[in-house]
Amino acid sequence: MVYGVLAGITWALETIILGIALSMAPFISTEQAVFLAPFVSTFLHDFCSAVWSAVYNGCRGNNKNVWKALCTRSGKFVVLAAVIGGPVGMTGYVLSIHYMGASIGAVASAVFPAIGAILAYFFLKEKMQWYRWVFLIVTLFGVYGLSYSPELEITNFWLGTAGTLMCAFGWGIEAVILAKCMQDPEVKDEYALQIRQSTSALFYGMIILPVLKGWGFTVHLFQGGTGWLLPIIALAAFFATVSYLCYYRAIAMIGASKAMALNVTYAAWSIVFTVIILRDTSVLSPMTVLCAVIVIVCGVLAAADFKELIAKKSEN
């Protein structure tokens, strides 16, 4: 459960930092740049994350094991999960941030645990007690309360909503597939992460960017004059990598539905970091503070199996 909460905290940091990158001049200079920004930034984000993952596994001497994991049947399903969670889910997430703002994008896309929990129930036979469903529903109401703020500007509601749906279904399906794959002892969470991020980056680089004719704009970003843009994206990718490592470990240890309920707390943490990092107090109100507390507390309770905790306490 600690890994799940840490995943939420670091993903909130990633959200704010990526939002800063998307607001910088290269991504808002022309209409073409505005259109390509979500796709190019996601490619760079996942590519950098794949590099961070490779460094992490390399330092631990696991690169050979990553290749072995990829060659297994479960490893190939991780590739499928990567396509669903990366090009579909991550693009939707960035669209949500781009058109609805960092804090709103974070809370809007947080509905994926509900979808994932339903899928986990049917495909992984992960049972959710009635009280966990209640806490999850209350968490989602808290997410809705966080997303409602008349002071915040939403540039394109429909594209933002489309991004939210892509993100919710993409990440929900991805978590269920990964939970099944990581039951294979040869596919550990850190191996799955490197496969996932590498697959996503390759899919973007070889399919999405060529189709959208976005390689010219992408190459232009490396030709200078972009200031701190690329280092900021690399920093966002670093926090994303840490978040994914914690999230995947939580999935492997406590299951998809519980891990997603904990990960959703990033919706509340993003409000906290919006105030601390961006100095934006417009997101603060009695309602947002109350809803942030609800999301964090009920998110944790939605992941808690009280019967299991009581049984373990009795054993001890």
Side-chain angles (χ1 to χ4, degrees):
M1 290 181 69
V2 172
Y3 280 121
V5 174
L6 287 174
I9 293 173
T10 49
W11 191 258
L13 275 170
E14 185 272 351
T15 298
I16 301 303
I17 296 170
L18 187 59
I20 293 172
L22 287 169
S23 66
M24 296 180 72
F27 286 140
I28 59 174
S29 56
T30 65
E31 289 186 7
Q32 182 192 30
V34 171
F35 170 74
L36 290 174
F39 305 99
V40 173
S41 62
T42 305
F43 163 69
L44 295 173
H45 175 278
D46 284 4
F47 175 79
C48 290
S49 182
V51 173
W52 286 120
S53 299
V55 170
Y56 175 80
N57 280 310
C59 291
R60 295 169 63 90
N62 288 333
N63 282 332
K64 290 183 179 179
N65 294 330
V66 173
W67 178 253
K68 290 179 181 178
L70 178 61
C71 294
T72 65
R73 184 173 182 270
S74 296
K76 292 178 175 60
F77 272 98
V78 172
V79 172
L80 174 63
V83 174
I84 296 172
V88 177
M90 189 64 188
T91 296
Y93 172 67
V94 176
L95 282 171
S96 185
I97 294 176
H98 193 60
Y99 292 111
M100 302 180 81
S103 58
I104 297 299
V107 297
S109 60
V111 298
F112 81 91
I115 295 172
I118 294 171
L119 294 174
Y121 175 80
F122 285 106
F123 293 102
L124 299 178
K125 308 304 179 184
E126 289 187 9
K127 295 181 179 180
M128 282 189 66
Q129 294 82 358
W130 65 269
Y131 57 83
R132 288 178 57 204
W133 279 111
V134 170
F135 284 127
L136 181 57
I137 292 170
V138 173
T139 301
L140 297 181
F141 274 114
V143 167
Y144 175 78
L146 282 173
S147 66
Y148 179 75
S149 179
E151 289 82 11
L152 296 175
E153 294 184 2
I154 297 176
T155 57
N156 193 314
F157 175 80
W158 294 111
L159 284 177
T161 300
T164 298
L165 292 174
M166 289 170 60
C167 177
F169 279 92
W171 286 354
I173 295 170
E174 176 194 23
V176 172
I177 296 175
L178 287 172
K180 183 66 175 177
C181 292
M182 287 188 288
Q183 292 176 1
D184 187 334
E186 292 191 47
V187 182
K188 295 184 178 180
D189 45 270
E190 58 262 42
Y191 308 163
L193 175 58
Q194 187 172 337
I195 295 170
R196 191 265 191 203
Q197 297 299 73
S198 299
T199 300
S200 180
L202 285 171
F203 193 94
Y204 267 99
M206 299 177 65
I207 297 177
I208 293 181
L209 290 185
V211 169
L212 298 176
K213 299 181 179 179
W215 264 112
F217 177 73
T218 305
V219 172
H220 174 71
L221 297 178
F222 289 87
Q223 294 177 344
T226 57
W228 287 92
L229 175 65
L230 296 178
I232 288 175
I233 292 177
L235 180 62
F238 172 79
F239 282 110
T241 305
V242 175
S243 178
Y244 272 121
L245 281 171
C246 293
Y247 180 47
Y248 282 20
R249 188 148 298 176
I251 291 175
M253 294 176 70
I254 61 176
S257 60
K258 294 179 182 178
M260 284 185 286
L262 291 169
N263 190 48
V264 77
T265 60
Y266 78 84
W269 296 116
S270 67
I271 300 294
V272 175
F273 291 125
T274 294
V275 176
I276 295 174
I277 297 175
L278 302 181
R279 306 291 182 182
D280 181 5
T281 57
S282 66
V283 298
L284 286 181
S285 69
M287 176 63 76
T288 56
V289 173
L290 175 62
C291 290
V293 173
I294 288 173
V295 168
I296 293 174
V297 174
C298 292
V300 172
L301 292 175
D305 189 333
F306 294 118
K307 290 183 179 179
E308 183 179 343
L309 292 174
I310 292 171
K312 287 185 178 180
K313 188 175 180 180
S314 300
E315 289 176 3
N316 295 331

